[in-house]
Amino acid sequence: MMNVRRWGGASVVGLLFAGIAAIIIHAQHATLRYRLTLDAEVEGLRASGSSVIEVSYARNLKVLGASAERTASVRGEAVAVEFGASGIVVALLAANGKSPTDPEQLALSAFFGSGEITFDRIRKLAESGDEVDLPPSLFPPVVYLRSANDPTSVEFLTQQGGGGAPVTVLGIRLAVVNSGVWPLNTVDLTGVQITRGLDRRLPWLNDARSRDRFWQSLIRSGFRSAGSIDLKTMFVRGL
């Protein structure tokens, strides 16, 4: 009986410490999911596509000279809009985490601008269900592939169109969706599901040589990078 009581007491203490640890971790963490919807027109045809993206923010430990207040990790895919034989338009998950159009920063830029950003504000935003039409200045990089099967057919678009491509970007909307309950949302048991499957729409995506050919063609069409980029993370992050 004594051993049972000791075991029971130890279990209660263990659960108590686990609960306290969970509360502390939660206070230093915030998860935001949003649906990014791209409306475009190609050769007179209009279509839309969307992707649900998750950004998890954590308080940054100020060690080894770290200066950022928070870190961010992304799970999700680029938005793709298919036009059949007329190609595919893609809003990339580009850049290096510092631009306001990067997936880590996009929702914060859209809703908070240059205002103070706290974990409490991010958590309130995650519960809000708010949505906004992005101004062109917050459009992520958008590209057009004349053939989804050919990475060299890519053209970089300006905010409304680009080059000789018969493409118009009609608009991009960002809508906050249910992020689920932590920690169950870390394994996709709760919340709106994160979008997957882009590699089935761009069959060359998992081939490193094909990604290099895409990159070379993208640079030739006028795209300029703000820094070094892992090419696959322009399309898929954290999956």
Side-chain angles (χ1 to χ4, degrees):
M1 180 64 70
M2 184 64 69
N3 289 337
V4 172
R5 289 178 178 174
R6 287 177 178 174
W7 176 256
S11 298
V12 171
V13 172
L15 289 173
L16 179 60
F17 276 107
I20 293 173
I23 292 172
I24 293 173
I25 293 173
H26 181 66
Q28 309 293 317
H29 181 274
T31 298
L32 176 68
R33 287 186 188 179
Y34 59 85
R35 177 179 286 106
L36 202 62
T37 301
L38 169 64
D39 300 317
E41 180 178 314
V42 175
E43 297 178 341
L45 300 174
R46 293 189 176 191
S48 299
S50 66
S51 181
V52 173
I53 298 165
E54 177 189 89
V55 186
S56 294
Y57 301 94
R59 193 174 304 280
N60 195 22
L61 297 177
K62 297 298 185 69
V63 295
L64 300 178
S67 59
E69 290 296 324
R70 60 185 176 274
T71 61
S73 60
V74 177
R75 291 197 298 157
E77 294 184 337
V79 183
V81 187
E82 295 178 283
F83 289 89
S86 295
I88 187 168
V89 178
V90 183
L92 299 172
L93 303 176
N96 53 19
K98 298 178 181 178
S99 166
T101 64
D102 292 352
E104 298 94 328
Q105 307 294 339
L106 187 57
L108 306 185
S109 301
F111 289 104
F112 301 145
S114 58
E116 181 183 9
I117 300 172
T118 64
F119 281 90
D120 185 55
R121 291 192 75 187
I122 296 174
R123 281 191 286 268
K124 288 180 179 178
L125 176 62
E127 297 171 355
S128 70
D130 288 347
E131 58 182 275
V132 63
D133 290 321
L134 297 180
S137 61
L138 286 182
F139 283 6
V142 181
V143 300
Y144 170 59
L145 291 100
R146 294 181 180 274
S147 170
N149 297 317
D150 181 4
T152 66
S153 70
V154 65
E155 295 184 51
F156 173 61
L157 306 180
T158 64
Q159 292 174 348
Q160 299 300 325
V167 181
T168 301
V169 177
L170 301 175
I172 301 179
R173 297 187 307 280
L174 188 153
V176 177
V177 299
N178 186 351
S179 299
V181 179
W182 184 86
L184 298 178
N185 55 4
T186 62
V187 288
D188 296 333
L189 292 180
T190 61
V192 175
Q193 293 297 294
I194 297 168
T195 302
R196 290 174 168 81
L198 185 59
D199 57 349
R200 295 193 293 271
R201 304 163 77 180
L202 299 174
W204 49 268
L205 190 54
N206 291 323
D207 179 72
R209 288 187 179 181
S210 294
R211 293 197 299 271
D212 286 340
R213 292 165 62 206
F214 165 85
W215 178 250
Q216 293 165 8
S217 298
L218 183 62
I219 293 297
R220 283 196 295 269
S221 72
F223 179 80
R224 294 295 178 265
S225 168
S228 61
I229 293 177
D230 178 340
L231 298 185
K232 191 168 183 179
T233 63
M234 299 178 77
F235 296 92
V236 181
R237 301 274 289 273
L239 300 178

